[in-house]
Amino acid sequence: MRSFCSFIRTASTKQNSLPRQTIRSFTASTQNNRFQVPQFKSPPPAMTTTTLKGQPFDRPVLDSMLRRRMFYTPSFEIYGGVAGLYDYGPPGCALQSNVIEIWRKHFVLEEDMLEVDCTALTPEEVLKTSGHVDKFADWMCKDPKNGEILRADHFVEAVLEARLKGDKDARGIKVEEKEEDPKKKKKKVKNTEAVKLEDAVVKEYEEILARIDNYDGEALGKLIKDHDLKNPVTGVQPSPPVAFNLMFQTAIGPSSNAPGYLRPETAQGQFLNFAKLLEFNQQQMPFASASIGKSFRNEISPRAGLLRVREFLMAEIEHYVDPEGGKKHARFNDIKDVKVRLLNRHVQLAGQTTIEEMTIGKAVSNGTVDNETLGYFLARIQQFLFKIGVDPSKTRFRQHMANEMAHYAADCWDAELQTSYGWIECVGCADRSAYDLTVHAKKTGAPLMVRERLETPITIEEWQIDLDKKKFGPHFKKDGKTVEAAVEALPQDKREALAQDLQLDGKIKIEVDGVGNGTVEISKELIQIGRKTKTVNTREFTPNVIEPSFGIGRILYALIEHNYWTRGNEGGDEARGVLSFPPPVAPTKVLLVPLSSHESFKPIVNRMSRKLRSIGVSTKTDDSSASIGKRYSRNDELGTPLGITVDFQSVKDGSFTLRDRDSTKQVRADEEKILKAIKELAEGSKVWADIEKELPAFEGQEAEIPVLTKKD
Amino acid sequence: MRSFCSFIRTASTKQNSLPRQTIRSFTASTQNNRFQVPQFKSPPPAMTTTTLKGQPFDRPVLDSMLRRRMFYTPSFEIYGGVAGLYDYGPPGCALQSNVIEIWRKHFVLEEDMLEVDCTALTPEEVLKTSGHVDKFADWMCKDPKNGEILRADHFVEAVLEARLKGDKDARGIKVEEKEEDPKKKKKKVKNTEAVKLEDAVVKEYEEILARIDNYDGEALGKLIKDHDLKNPVTGVQPSPPVAFNLMFQTAIGPSSNAPGYLRPETAQGQFLNFAKLLEFNQQQMPFASASIGKSFRNEISPRAGLLRVREFLMAEIEHYVDPEGGKKHARFNDIKDVKVRLLNRHVQLAGQTTIEEMTIGKAVSNGTVDNETLGYFLARIQQFLFKIGVDPSKTRFRQHMANEMAHYAADCWDAELQTSYGWIECVGCADRSAYDLTVHAKKTGAPLMVRERLETPITIEEWQIDLDKKKFGPHFKKDGKTVEAAVEALPQDKREALAQDLQLDGKIKIEVDGVGNGTVEISKELIQIGRKTKTVNTREFTPNVIEPSFGIGRILYALIEHNYWTRGNEGGDEARGVLSFPPPVAPTKVLLVPLSSHESFKPIVNRMSRKLRSIGVSTKTDDSSASIGKRYSRNDELGTPLGITVDFQSVKDGSFTLRDRDSTKQVRADEEKILKAIKELAEGSKVWADIEKELPAFEGQEAEIPVLTKKD
């Protein structure tokens, strides 16, 4: 069960806002972690979000702008829509592909990673081995009256919160309304009657809510019974919670006996190709594979826009490293001075949320971060996030608590970005030890390991088995090979025990699947087990995996919030939205604005547009009849960083004004200089301040217009 | 049924190799076409394929090279694999993302298309409307003895071909072995007994095979019965064919009553967003949307490697155009002189395969291609294919036969690429008229149309309906609104007929879903229908759709075959494979080769590698102990176009040799010049011949080595 394992961070008190505002792990990090309930909660009322310019943040206004400008839109809306499915419109799609391009350059190209593209369709056996078939589930209950399906923890939470609200109403305490989707709100309001509760009951409810993520299905069922929690819609108690697997199931091929699933993460395809990738890498370690692709999770109740969806883009890296030698990283020195904001597990254990800022070099040397390779990726993740325009003051790395992680995991940190929904996990970075390769190797017999030639051979002492092949074959006949393989596979500790059996009983019994009744007896005439030394030239090991895992949709949403602000309009209209994306990620780089629909502008606009495209800069022309100001503010909402006005001066002398979205300042220069400036800004090699120093400012308000119009 | 509709190209005689070597439509083109059986066949023995350099083409050798170099690999291979699912390894993945990047620049950026990213998960209702739920199927039968599932047409074909082979064996005619996957071959060989057939029977079998794609399920069942066709594995007749829908089904959300499918194409998401996209485009027509994403088809028997798979990447464009005014295209003039190789439907009707070469301007003006917009896209598709390195002599556009297309389709052409599997449809380009938008608008009531303001209002005469609202409401009570809506929706021809009814009977009957028994009577006291004139200021129309649809996996495979050749090794070893990809699509652009493991090379190699990456050029370093020649030929197989040797001269004077993969010629120059040359080659702005003119040739065989080694 995702919700099965308990973990401390949600057991801390509700006053500690941390657990209540952390969206968990779409990005799988550890074995337990992969199967936990996502911790999505509304932000606590105390938390105020501000825009890039420190203005109060108004989410409904931003949401409406994003839909109006088609950053994203509910899928199949004309058919009524499907919860948790969104389409990206042109600006969202361009933003996404720019972020992916930067990701690919920053990680795959820079680090020489081996990118693979694996299928989303996955046969059941693979996900059975990985644990998803048995454990990737949430608890759900059904309303026996109307058949409504409820996510058990969400349901308990909603009813108790409604009762607490009713209590506060009865006590005359003003409650700040939380934002919820309209449907939910309706239900809640309907159910919120002002009923005063006993003080002890209030305390009990608050305690339950604080640890809501710790209850398993049975415990949630008990809560529903004990507190007589009823569905406000029907007035009846829902059925006891049952496990609901979150993978989409289908059948691969024409016969229905080949069940398959849509992958819930992109990691498994990479693990399965490990041996081929190692071969491709000419057997050299360490190395990393990477993958960008869609994953699918059948959430019971998707919410919060792009943050909890049923189909989403992930970018995952699996870095394979030798577990011996402290997991050093050859390029650690390059990033050791990068400062990171860390929320370590000790601070969380103490119920605090204090962020410590330190260099990653120090964090590794003082043991806060487990090893260099993990530290290296934390720094590289942060560099990537800052490069695309995430706000450093709204970024932190939160370490997983010891009991959030599986027993085999060495360490795990989430890059969390602060939004109006709280701190959201956008990148997970876990040291998964040798777990994944080991389970798949064990299941399939594939050699998912590294064989390394030792510089100096070593001598080891071990329990060796010698079979008397002459007698062994004839004795077991057709089963000979099978029994021999089972004998060879016996681990050292088992061999030691069997050596004693052989001495005592003159025979041993071992289990061999598919031979006789599954147990085979071998007498000392056929087998000898003894302690012997041997010289070893190679070393075999299963690499450990460091897994940075990016939820692209969440990153995009946080990026949008971090770069959003509003510009007061001098004319007195309502404030206008601006998205101050860095030029390299902006969906469109340049807006071309002819001053009017005058014929003389057209060839110039077309030429500029062609030239910009030929140097790889995306442009948009707005030759509508709207005022220049209106056309620019329309594109401020799209995050277009630069604007070129084509005016009569351009016709006359070939000069253009270039406008900066954020400052609205303009410079004027000839075509060549303007194109050069745009290219440098779009690539990110210069910023606007550089350009302002190089090119003359333009303050004029198109004074030449009347003169030229007359002449024309 | 995909296999339901008959079409002429497969009814032509078998001597005409065309239909037998054309893989059909993963890329949906027309309504019928969307649901046809893919026409995958082995190439006729007469056809010889050659490599880029005209050498005999050996597919198994190429296949083995592609797997060894991990261009692609069967998914889940360590679990035994799943038919029709492939993963792309690093070079395949890089090739794919380079091709996609060029596609995006060539179409989306250049043409200002609105790219969207829609979900693969699709609710059933959408695909019911589009026709896929009812018609996207193949015929399959089951072997009653072993439960094996067979694709009916493939089965009939295999058994008849085996009998014909047996006949030829009996007559002593040598038959060339066709390449099949090993399993199939085994079966076939086992079944091929030398049995002579009657001449009439041979003729009958040949005729059946020639028209195999024309049989529906019933007809295929009859063939199996009449000719007593038995599964060679079990010796029994399979069950009668049943329809098998090729979409992967799943359930969206926790309740099982929300069936959904994985999309079989990316088009539907674009159609559903039409109204929003039009709004985003500020109501301006024409415009195009575009989408790149995975589609899924549950093939009964996937084969031919990347050519028929169950999960594949598509890139689709939906260009919306006003159906009036001849579907002109504003930029047609830019491409009118592009020469295309056309196989039109008249030539095919005559049983010929003659390709006519002409300019697209002529093809449109003489009516071969229906309209300018369709012609424009054919030229742009060809430009794209040539840009990525497809062989022009192995490219043609084949027009669909009249009865391959649905009644509403105006014209349809497939860009076919010649490979060792025959001519493969890699891009479909269809004029789908207003079909898609119309069916979705009709189903949902969404306004999927364009409202255009007329410059001069026009007066039209039409049948108008007037309701006596005062009486109408009270008469129909709660059903008033529903009946009124049904009346308003009556089309002109219906209104004319009803006007007569009203005059004759004093009342009319109309059908209204959900009111009474579905038929409502309205008397003349409540309604009047008359011919009246009205002035119209706007024109409403449903745009037509021109749909270029790219199967990326097929294009990649054809691209690989077109660029493959072998280089004889002077040393006498076996021939070595080369993939002569144009530098812009090559997975890696530059191989860095230090002459030896000498310490002095390392900092230089690292610096070059860093510099190349910083200018966006992907590099790979091979510092293994293999000979330089071996290291280069390893990378010839990966299609790496350029190589830099770092030798002692580099250490001494900072100069480098740059090697061209195809000619193996080298030039030598200083770092700056070498970097500039690489950038120009990688971008495609220059070719090797240009560089050879600019930089001095290098012929030396590292004569300096011994001298420098001593000094060092």
Side-chain angles (χ1 to χ4, degrees), chain A residues 307-321:
Chain A
L307 300 184
R308 173 98 54 81
V309 292
R310 287 176 169 153
E311 179 174 339
F312 52 96
L313 191 66
M314 289 180 97
E316 284 191 300
I317 294 164
E318 310 295 338
H319 179 90
Y320 306 98
V321 60

Side-chain angles (χ1 to χ4, degrees), chain A residues 676-692:
Chain A
K676 182 167 169 281
I678 289 173
K679 189 156 202 302
E680 290 164 341
L681 290 166
E683 287 173 352
S685 62
K686 284 193 180 164
V687 294
W688 180 256
D690 302 324
I691 302 304
E692 268 190 311

